[in-house]
Amino acid sequence: VQLMESGGGSVQPGGSLRLSCQTSGTSDDIDRMGWHRQTPEKDREIVARLMRKGDKFYEDSVKDRFAISRDTAKNTIYLQLSDAKLEDTGLYLCYVTRASKITWGQGIQVTVSS
């Protein structure tokens, strides 16, 4: 199983960006999927999570601004960033869990700056 992230880059405060994470093979057996963020100042932290049955979780600082979703036909997970803030800057890593085994993508940089 491999994950490939795309869509990162630079965005101004208040702007929007959509991250994509495409999984190799079928995504039918994924139990959990999500995005973490890593910065030099902080350990890797959860940003958003989507469970197989549709339950979603968001870290407090991104609630009402970020949205996680999936397209099963495209085997792709998305993270929509809106109203970007400087503190959203970081390396975003997607992950999926199948039968308790977790697979990580390599990460994609998002930089919020004016």
Side-chain angles (χ1 to χ4, degrees), residues 8-83:
S10 295
V11 62
Q12 293 186 338
S16 298
L17 207 62
R18 188 175 78 162
L19 306 182
S20 301
C21 175
Q22 187 167 30
T23 67
S24 63
T26 181
S27 61
D28 293 344
D29 57 346
I30 293 176
D31 302 312
R32 180 183 305 187
M33 63 211 81
W35 294 85
H36 282 229
R37 179 174 59 215
Q38 187 172 309
T39 67
E41 297 79 23
K42 287 185 179 180
D43 292 334
R44 190 178 297 186
E45 61 179 356
I46 181 74
V47 174
R49 180 176 62 231
L50 174 62
M51 305 297 286
R52 180 204 290 263
K53 293 184 177 179
D55 294 341
K56 298 179 182 180
F57 167 84
Y58 296 98
E59 192 270 328
D60 284 345
S61 69
V62 308
K63 280 180 182 176
D64 300 322
R65 299 190 299 116
F66 288 14
I68 187 170
S69 62
R70 70 183 296 188
D71 185 331
T72 54
K74 295 182 179 179
N75 294 328
T76 302
I77 305 157
Y78 301 100
L79 184 68
Q80 177 71 45
L81 285 67
S82 303
D83 188 22

